[in-house]
Amino acid sequence: MNVNSICVQGGYTPGNGEPRQIPIVQSTTFKYNTSEDMGKLFDLEASGYFYTRLQNPTNDYVAAKIAQLEGGTAAMLTSSGQAANFFAMFNICESGDHIVASSSIYGGTFNLIAVTMKRMGIDVTFVNPDATEEELNAAFQENTKLMFGETIANPALTVLDIEKYARVAHAHGVPLIVDNTFATPVNCRPIEWGADIVTHSTTKYMDGHGAAVGGAIVDGGKFDWMAHKDKYPGLTTPDDSYHGVTYVERFGNEGAFITKCTVQLMRDLGSIQSPQNAFITNLGLESLHVRMKRHCENGLAIAEYLSKHEKVAYVNYCSLPGDKYHELAKKYLPNGSCGVVSFGLKGGREAASTFMKNLKMGAIETHVADARTCCLNPASSTHRQLTDEQLIEAGVPAELIRISIGLEDKEDLIADIEQALASC
């Protein structure tokens, strides 16, 4: 099916007399007639459900839809996008390993890799998103286990050259993990460009209504783990905690990664998504293809308006002609990028603060990718502890405003922005 149809009907096909909408299986446990029946599940010899921390039918329906949307072979849901990124990386990393990651990524993910995972003994080298292949190659070490980036970075809005990053990663025998939250599979499918694993904060556009926190991991099923057997013993050698099962031998390249991530990490760390949240996420997915078109249309209209305003110093939006990443956007995001626009005011921090106070339709929130327009000045909120010099180093200078354009009428949004700018 086309992506548009998958959004509506993917992941779940009801049988005769079964519910048309996916059922919410709000149960922690599942009954079996014999211990032997349940034992087969624990030995990974049969498929089924015994405890929602590991698997739940509602979650599986939604994960299957997201896998289908991304063109992957298997997927799982997590409690948040942050959990999805951690699980995706930690599933193939351990103490003593190394990661190569783009420096232009969500601040929470940057901190996860640079601070928390470093405390776990996993080192990282951050690279400029625009680095040459030679510079990227130089970042790799013998113990490098993966490469990581974001299709459209939050909040810098840089565009990842997925083919280049995949080519470099594969030359070193490691998978490329791409966070595709902002683009969504409606506008970009990283697996088609060489990425091996895709992650999402489903909290953003996939839900799209600020109602359900969640995350997802999708495996492209193409990375040959056995070809790099010594690098990934967790997938290619027997797992003593599951009666000596070797994941790649039992489940193939198509299912080994997600199976291990479920039966090891979800079992031990428990960052599950509730069935209720999965149900809400699916409601969002059913209109994702329609909403993304409107988000992109509104985003481009706002970016064009801001780029011509005398009080605006610069605009970052890759679908805008003249943007630094416009050529990459034409390649990877030909149908549109997202609804998030960032811009700087010539009046600096004071002007940004005044603008925010006078905005009426755009709510001041830390959230993005919502049906409702929301706005943030990092210097006065999430990054307020930094000096102006540190803000520049972090890529969020004092005058920067990030606005996530919603589904409202673009003329109303422009009028609201115009009156707010008039006060600056």
Side-chain angles (χ1 to χ4, degrees):
M1 289 189 291
N2 185 282
V3 165
N4 296 345
S5 298
I6 297 171
C7 282
V8 181
Q9 297 208 18
Y12 171 68
T13 303
N16 189 41
E18 292 183 345
R20 187 63 193 89
Q21 181 55 274
I22 66 170
I24 304 172
V25 182
Q26 195 66 46
S27 179
T28 60
T29 55
F30 301 82
K31 174 188 174 293
Y32 286 88
N33 293 328
T34 70
S35 295
E36 288 74 20
D37 289 339
M38 183 174 285
K40 291 177 182 178
L41 301 178
F42 279 93
D43 289 343
L44 304 181
E45 293 177 354
S47 60
Y49 304 94
F50 55 85
Y51 196 55
T52 284
R53 188 176 79 237
L54 274 84
Q55 284 183 290
N56 176 282
T58 308
N59 292 22
D60 281 359
Y61 292 139
V62 180
K65 176 179 282 191
I66 295 172
Q68 198 174 352
L69 283 169
E70 285 288 5
T73 57
M76 64 186 290
L77 301 186
T78 62
S79 58
S80 67
Q82 192 78 329
N85 280 331
F86 174 60
F87 275 24
M89 290 184 279
F90 196 56
N91 198 37
I92 50 177
C93 283
E94 59 185 38
S95 180
D97 287 340
H98 175 257
I99 292 170
V100 175
S102 168
S103 61
S104 185
I105 55 177
Y106 168 57
T109 309
F110 189 101
N111 193 77
L112 167 68
I113 301 171
V115 179
T116 303
M117 293 183 74
K118 194 161 187 175
R119 288 178 183 153
M120 302 168 72
I122 300 169
D123 203 2
V124 61
T125 298
F126 288 105
V127 293
N128 188 304
D130 307 323
T132 64
E133 287 198 34
E134 291 74 17
E135 291 169 331
L136 293 177
N137 281 317
F140 280 77
Q141 302 174 10
E142 287 187 9
N143 59 338
T144 302
K145 291 297 181 68
L146 65 92
M147 199 174 197
F148 180 87
E150 295 179 1
T151 308
I152 305 172
N154 175 19
L157 302 181
T158 56
V159 177
L160 191 74
D161 191 340
I162 302 171
E163 275 194 319
K164 179 174 71 176
Y165 271 66
R167 188 163 55 245
V168 171
H170 295 160
H172 292 271
V174 306
L176 172 64
I177 300 177
V178 174
D179 185 327
N180 196 36
T181 296
F182 269 16
T184 81
V186 171
N187 286 337
C188 182
R189 308 217 301 178
I191 292 169
E192 294 178 351
W193 296 101
D196 300 288
I197 296 151
V198 172
T199 60
H200 283 276
S201 170
T202 62
T203 317
K204 308 305 189 296
Y205 286 121
M206 285 189 168
D207 165 29
H209 300 85
V213 175
I217 307 170
V218 181
D219 183 12
K222 298 177 181 178
F223 191 81
D224 190 346
W225 303 106
M226 277 297 185
H228 311 284
K229 183 175 181 179
D230 293 340
K231 272 184 178 287
Y232 304 102
L235 286 161
T236 61
T237 61
D239 178 5
D240 293 336
S241 70
Y242 267 101
H243 310 288
V245 64
T246 299
Y247 295 103
V248 175
E249 290 180 354
R250 176 75 65 84
F251 303 101
N253 288 328
E254 298 79 10
F257 184 89
I258 293 297
T259 301
K260 177 181 180 294
C261 202
T262 301
V263 302
Q264 282 188 357
L265 300 189
M266 194 62 83
R267 174 196 65 189
D268 296 341
L269 301 176
S271 297
I272 63 169
Q273 185 169 148
S274 75
Q276 181 70 52
N277 275 17
F279 177 84
I280 293 170
T281 297
N282 187 63
L283 292 179
L285 287 169
E286 290 180 353
S287 65
L288 180 64
H289 58 301
V290 180
R291 290 185 290 105
M292 286 307 295
K293 185 176 181 179
R294 180 61 174 265
H295 279 297
C296 293
E297 177 188 321
N298 281 359
L300 182 57
I302 299 304
E304 288 174 341
Y305 167 79
L306 290 168
S307 68
K308 298 171 185 175
H309 200 284
E310 61 181 8
K311 293 185 179 181
V312 176
Y314 57 84
V315 178
N316 298 320
Y317 189 69
C318 64
S319 296
L320 187 68
D323 184 88
K324 180 180 179 180
Y325 295 97
H326 188 59
E327 290 304 312
L328 279 179
K330 285 198 296 184
K331 176 180 178 178
Y332 295 115
L333 304 152
N335 299 319
S337 54
C338 66
V340 183
V341 180
S342 67
F343 62 99
L345 295 179
K346 292 178 181 178
R349 182 191 292 265
E350 185 176 345
S353 178
T354 301
F355 175 85
M356 298 289 289
K357 288 177 183 176
N358 286 277
L359 204 60
K360 292 181 171 59
M361 290 187 70
I364 299 175
E365 302 176 19
T366 57
H367 194 43
V368 287
D370 197 326
R372 296 157 290 253
T373 294
C374 47
C375 199
L376 193 72
N377 170 226
S380 61
S381 54
T382 56
H383 293 65
R384 65 181 297 119
Q385 76 277 13
L386 302 183
T387 65
D388 283 2
E389 291 74 21
Q390 289 172 324
L391 287 167
I392 292 172
E393 288 180 17
V396 285
E399 76 280 358
L400 181 79
I401 294 168
R402 182 191 70 188
I403 185 165
S404 176
I405 307 301
L407 302 178
E408 303 92 345
D409 189 283
K410 60 187 175 184
E411 298 301 327
D412 290 336
L413 291 171
I414 289 173
D416 186 31
I417 293 170
E418 187 169 3
Q419 64 83 24
L421 285 170
S423 65
C424 298

